Amino acid sequence: MNYDDINIKFGKHIAQLRRELNISQEEFADRCSLHRTYIGALERGEKSPTLKTIEKLAKGLNVSLIDLFKI
């Protein structure tokens, strides 16, 4: 697996968890204190988040870090 694959899988998982909460990218971004366009880039697998950002994503989705990585 290359980095692009893991970014795409992680992004799809983030998007799926967000949709399960029935929230928009904008609301999710607000919950995470991140920009909406950055959330979109993460969900498309175009960006690799830092550990600090991963923590914000988990909190914004109300899931554990372990659950966030169940891709």
Side-chain angles (χ1 to χ4, degrees):
M1 177 181 316
N2 66 40
Y3 291 117
D4 290 338
D5 292 340
I6 194 72
N7 286 343
I8 290 168
K9 285 183 179 183
F10 186 74
K12 286 181 179 181
H13 185 61
I14 295 289
Q16 176 188 353
L17 292 171
R18 177 183 59 77
R19 286 191 300 269
E20 288 174 5
L21 289 175
N22 199 32
I23 59 174
S24 66
Q25 284 183 344
E26 188 169 4
E27 183 176 343
F28 181 38
D30 287 343
R31 289 182 180 199
C32 299
S33 299
L34 298 168
H35 197 276
R36 179 191 52 78
T37 58
Y38 182 69
I39 295 294
L42 285 174
E43 289 186 357
R44 291 187 300 275
E46 297 170 356
K47 299 281 185 182
S48 289
T50 64
L51 290 173
K52 187 70 173 168
T53 299
I54 290 168
E55 181 180 44
K56 288 180 180 184
L57 296 171
K59 287 181 180 180
L61 292 167
N62 205 25
V63 298
S64 70
L65 288 171
I66 292 170
D67 288 337
L68 196 63
F69 284 103
K70 290 183 179 175
I71 57 175

